[in-house]
Amino acid sequence: MNPSHDFGVWVAALLTLFVFSFLYKDNPLYKFAEHLFVGVSAGYYIVLNYWTVIDSNLIGPLRVAFGGAAGGPLHVQQGDYRALLLIPGLLGLLLFTRLFPRIDWISRWPLAVIIGVYAGLKTTGFAQGDLVAQVQASLQSFGLVELAHAFKASELAHTSSATWQAIGHSCDVVLFTAGLLTSLLYFYYSREHKGALGVSSRLGIWFLMVSFGAAYGYTVMSRISLLIGRFQFLIEDWLRIR
Amino acid sequence: MKREIPLFLTAVIGLFMIVSFFVPHQWVSVPADFLQQCAVIVVAFGYVLGGANVLRVSLEGISRRERDWPYKLVLVLSLLFTVIVGLFVDKQRWQDPGTISLWLYDNVYSSMQATMFALLAFYIASAAFRAFRVRSTEAALLAIAALIVMLGRVPIGDAAMTAIFHHAWIPHALRELKMSPIEEWIMNVPQSAAKRAVLIGAAMGVMATGLRVILGIERSYLGGGD
């Protein structure tokens, strides 16, 4: 064993152990790591947004618009609308009125701009990107023509692997379509789930359960992968046990 | 007045953004792009406001010597240190190799974030013991799908199938059966079908909520008060 001499690796390793100590019970070391994490991540996102948005999209263009680059202070050339960025700058500052209870209602104005823009964008964006795209992608061919060709090419007594593949594909598409329709019917609440609708929605629940189970298994494996990564870091990078 | 102006702004801007989707003329698209840029900038200010709020709440706790106040001090100091280093020490070189910001990101933020998520593996596993009690068909389907997906993603799944089915008395087709193709089939057919249904439903939900917000029916974002 030849532990790392890198101070950063030691800090990362100790913080990793502090977080893992929660598996025993809530303790001061975990609380320290937890609060440190909240502080550093909040600071990180503030700095990230400052340099990537506020500095590059607001302060930089405003400096060009008012700093003399366009021919002198306050001399804005035709077609240069950068000075209008004063509006989002002002709205951004108004957001801070939320910290003062007497005038916190002013912060609703910038909030209204955010909500209005994103409500409009998402309404059309989801319609185009999710609803239409998902429906379009779900309209799959049952492959009946390919199946007929495959049957014609092979004798019934000696069914080729291509035929089996065509049969398998058709079955998958039928199952997929049935799963999609019955799952959608489960979310149809305007009528009581009785009779044919009841049977369909019950089948839909089965498909949904398989989907949730698969999603659960997928999540577990990604978390396990992260866990292995942390142990690899501790053993290989920190303790350097090979 | 305190509620009407924001509602009016939301309705006008929201409708304008919807119109901009259907009218690609520059008289519409240029103001729409500007509005979108405005929203991005204001959201960035929102992150700063969030940080300021965390600071305010923590500082109040420290001044009142609330329970666990020393940890709040750790939070405040780490937040201020990260911000000061990022804004005034590293400046535009922020996140460049050799900067304190990158060191903080690699050794503190990134390592703790990965460990926090890794920690969830234990809690998900313990939750599974409670959730996977096979009492009904639905619970059985959930458990079997989860088990196949978990085993299908690691070599032990295929090895287990070989150990179980690789016997002379078992039909040849079954002997070749592996876990990974079954897992792949589950992900591509039943999982994908139900997931699509959920996504289609969610898309309709987002559209409905968006319209409710624009039309002023949904007003919870304004908060309480007059």
Side-chain angles (χ1 to χ4, degrees):
Chain A
M1 193 169 77
N2 177 28
S4 169
H5 298 295
D6 187 338
F7 178 63
V9 172
W10 272 86
V11 170
L14 289 176
L15 289 173
T16 301
L17 292 176
F18 287 0
V19 174
F20 277 140
S21 70
F22 188 72
L23 288 170
Y24 170 61
K25 66 174 185 181
D26 198 7
N27 64 78
L29 292 177
Y30 174 76
K31 276 183 185 163
F32 170 80
E34 185 189 28
H35 284 79
L36 185 71
F37 179 63
V38 174
V40 170
S41 51
Y44 172 76
Y45 282 105
I46 289 172
V47 179
L48 175 77
N49 276 283
Y50 179 79
W51 288 121
T52 57
V53 181
I54 297 174
D55 184 67
S56 58
N57 293 356
L58 179 70
I59 296 174
L62 280 178
R63 205 178 281 146
V64 175
F66 294 105
L74 299 175
H75 182 99
V76 179
Q77 288 177 332
Q78 194 179 10
D80 184 358
Y81 301 108
R82 279 180 288 223
L84 285 176
L85 287 171
L86 277 174
I87 298 167
L90 182 70
L91 285 170
L93 290 175
L94 287 179
L95 209 54
F96 286 86
T97 55
R98 205 159 186 84
L99 296 171
F100 309 100
R102 285 170 68 101
I103 51 166
D104 66 352
W105 56 272
I106 299 174
S107 69
R108 288 173 184 163
W109 297 353
L111 206 60
V113 173
I114 298 173
I115 300 284
V117 168
Y118 285 111
L121 279 178
K122 297 290 173 192
T123 302
T124 49
F126 267 80
Q128 190 194 28
D130 270 44
L131 185 64
V132 175
Q134 293 292 338
V135 171
Q136 201 172 20
S138 303
L139 298 173
Q140 297 177 24
S141 162
F142 287 126
L144 293 177
V145 178
E146 290 84 355
L147 200 61
H149 280 302
F151 267 121
K152 207 181 258 181
S154 66
E155 293 171 25
L156 276 177
H158 303 286
T159 314
S160 68
S161 64
T163 315
W164 282 118
Q165 270 184 2
I167 293 170
H169 174 73
S170 294
C171 290
D172 282 354
V173 174
V174 169
L175 200 65
F176 177 88
T177 310
L180 177 66
L181 293 176
T182 53
S183 301
L184 279 171
L185 280 173
Y186 170 70
F187 293 110
Y188 179 70
Y189 298 124
S190 299
R191 260 185 63 188
E192 197 180 349
H193 288 189
K194 271 181 171 177
L197 183 62
V199 174
S200 304
S201 65
R202 186 158 176 79
L203 194 61
I205 295 175
W206 289 357
F207 273 98
L208 285 166
M209 283 298 152
V210 171
S211 177
F212 293 150
Y216 170 83
Y218 194 80
T219 310
V220 168
M221 293 318 284
S222 67
R223 299 285 187 260
I224 296 280
S225 168
L226 274 173
L227 188 67
I228 292 168
R230 292 324 292 163
F231 279 118
Q232 264 180 337
F233 166 74
L234 289 175
I235 293 166
E236 291 176 8
D237 296 350
W238 181 43
L239 298 174
R240 291 191 184 170
I241 299 170
R242 302 278 175 184
Chain B
M1 196 68 172
K2 289 176 183 175
R3 295 177 77 87
E4 281 74 10
I5 291 176
L7 282 171
F8 177 74
L9 274 176
T10 306
V12 171
I13 293 171
L15 285 173
F16 188 79
M17 295 309 288
I18 291 176
V19 168
S20 75
F21 179 80
F22 297 102
V23 185
H25 194 276
Q26 60 174 357
W27 284 5
V28 180
S29 65
V30 171
D33 287 347
F34 176 71
L35 279 171
Q36 202 174 334
Q37 201 179 352
C38 285
V40 170
I41 291 168
V42 180
V43 167
F45 274 95
Y47 275 97
V48 182
L49 173 69
N53 203 36
V54 168
L55 268 182
R56 189 184 67 163
V57 171
S58 301
L59 287 171
E60 277 175 12
I62 293 166
S63 65
R64 287 187 201 139
R65 293 287 189 274
E66 281 176 2
R67 193 167 161 263
D68 288 345
W69 69 269
Y71 300 112
K72 288 191 172 69
L73 193 63
V74 171
L75 191 155
V76 169
L77 291 176
S78 58
L79 195 154
L80 288 175
F81 182 75
T82 312
V83 170
I84 290 167
V85 163
L87 295 184
F88 304 110
V89 180
D90 293 339
K91 296 180 184 171
Q92 272 94 344
R93 283 181 59 248
W94 181 73
Q95 291 288 297
D96 279 359
T99 55
I100 305 171
S101 299
L102 188 66
W103 187 91
L104 273 175
Y105 181 83
D106 285 342
N107 298 307
V108 180
Y109 176 76
S110 190
S111 66
M112 275 204 286
Q113 190 190 36
T115 315
M116 290 277 185
F117 280 112
L119 199 67
L120 291 180
F122 293 97
Y123 294 101
I124 289 178
S126 71
F129 279 107
R130 289 189 287 274
F132 285 179
R133 279 181 200 153
V134 182
R135 289 172 180 162
S136 61
T137 316
E138 287 82 6
L141 285 170
L142 187 94
I144 291 165
L147 200 70
I148 292 172
V149 170
M150 281 191 272
L151 288 175
R153 291 190 160 259
V154 282
I156 200 171
D158 285 343
M161 291 293 271
T162 308
I164 294 166
F165 291 108
H166 214 75
H167 298 291
W169 54 272
I170 288 178
H172 186 72
L174 274 180
R175 254 186 270 168
E176 299 299 317
L177 202 62
K178 300 276 184 220
M179 193 66 91
S180 45
I182 303 173
E183 181 260 339
E184 209 175 307
W185 180 83
I186 286 181
M187 294 304 280
N188 289 337
V189 182
Q191 201 273 150
S192 184
K195 195 176 155 190
R196 282 236 171 110
V198 171
L199 280 174
I200 289 169
M204 287 200 251
V206 169
M207 289 163 63
T209 309
L211 287 175
R212 280 172 62 87
V213 167
I214 290 167
L215 297 174
I217 302 165
E218 174 67 52
R219 301 173 177 198
S220 57
Y221 67 92
L222 293 174
D226 52 344

